Amino acid sequence: MNTINDFRPEAVIIDAGSFPENPLALQWLEHQTRIVCCDGAANRFIAAGGRPWRIVGDCDSLSPQLLRDYGSIVRRNPDQETNDQTKAVSYLASKGVREIAILGATGLREDHTIGNISLLVDYLSRGIHARSYTDFGVFIPARDTQEFHCPAGTQVSIFNFGATGLSAEGLRYPLRDFTSWWQGTLNETIAPTFRIHASGPYLIFIAYP
């Protein structure tokens, strides 16, 4: 089942973007022990009283003090071909983790936002189910025909990443094989369940009620 609250992540990644305040996003931190901070995100998380399980990244924005104090849980990865979010995802995947909630992927620098969100589809191709939760909704990568559950009247957007045969049931506006990301935005559910038919990958944004 694909709903906002049905996900059961095995770990949470905290990016260095705008940290969410919405309880629907923050719920994933309540009972999760495997919290991975992306590099400098640890500065803010620890200052707010958080306790990361691991700190992963190239460590170019982690304070020297925290690097000394938390050296035992730092996993430095100097690879400049990937961003810190992907380094954190890859680290968790190496530990067998395949279900991941991501916080703080959006806001602040817009180029980082676009990169972080689009990477969700790349992770899915690697067998990793990662969702990104913001103050306004959740980004869910998907492939092929999928069913989603949320109240009628919920705002949703669909971003095509090469899927073909796109069509839908339960949405106000019809889908087609979009060639630009904006073409699938600003849709709305007209039933408690909507189904997307497709062959290939796409990304769903579901706004919170």
Side-chain angles (χ1 to χ4, degrees):
M1 181 182 295
N2 285 302
T3 71
I4 290 176
N5 294 313
D6 73 322
F7 198 44
R8 295 294 178 265
E10 302 167 88
V12 175
I13 290 174
I14 299 178
D15 278 348
S18 296
F19 195 76
E21 298 179 358
N22 193 307
L24 287 173
L26 295 177
Q27 64 179 313
W28 308 115
L29 290 174
E30 291 180 1
H31 304 292
Q32 184 55 252
T33 57
R34 287 191 285 197
I35 298 174
V36 178
C37 287
C38 292
D39 204 351
N43 299 326
R44 176 183 58 195
F45 186 62
I46 293 171
R51 295 176 59 85
W53 175 65
R54 295 289 186 270
I55 300 170
V56 178
D58 56 16
C59 297
D60 63 343
S61 54
L62 185 64
S63 77
Q65 182 66 49
L66 289 188
L67 187 57
R68 289 191 296 270
D69 293 346
Y70 291 85
S72 63
I73 64 169
V74 171
R75 299 296 181 267
R76 178 176 282 172
N77 183 340
D79 183 7
Q80 295 303 305
E81 297 299 316
T82 61
N83 68 0
D84 286 335
Q85 176 183 280
T86 300
K87 292 170 186 173
V89 168
S90 296
Y91 175 79
L92 287 169
S94 74
K95 303 301 179 184
V97 175
R98 290 291 183 271
E99 310 285 332
I100 303 169
I102 300 175
L103 306 178
T106 62
L108 302 183
R109 281 185 53 174
E110 289 83 358
D111 54 343
H112 287 178
T113 291
I114 293 172
N116 288 338
I117 295 304
S118 64
L119 279 163
L120 297 176
V121 175
D122 180 68
Y123 305 150
L124 184 63
S125 71
R126 296 163 52 187
I128 301 165
H129 299 270
R131 296 183 178 186
S132 186
Y133 291 83
T134 77
D135 264 336
F136 307 100
V138 55
F139 287 94
I140 303 174
R143 173 179 288 276
D144 302 331
T145 297
Q146 297 284 338
E147 189 171 89
F148 301 85
H149 302 264
C150 54
T154 299
Q155 301 298 301
V156 301
S157 291
I158 298 92
F159 302 90
N160 191 9
F161 279 75
T164 57
L166 276 164
S167 65
E169 303 162 17
L171 294 180
R172 183 169 301 280
Y173 306 111
L175 304 186
R176 61 184 189 279
D177 291 356
F178 304 125
T179 56
S180 296
W181 281 4
W182 67 267
Q183 292 173 316
T185 60
L186 306 179
N187 214 317
E188 182 180 340
T189 63
I190 56 175
T193 297
F194 70 96
R195 181 187 294 266
I196 293 181
H197 300 275
S199 177
Y202 51 94
L203 184 67
I204 301 287
F205 177 79
I206 301 177
Y208 298 141

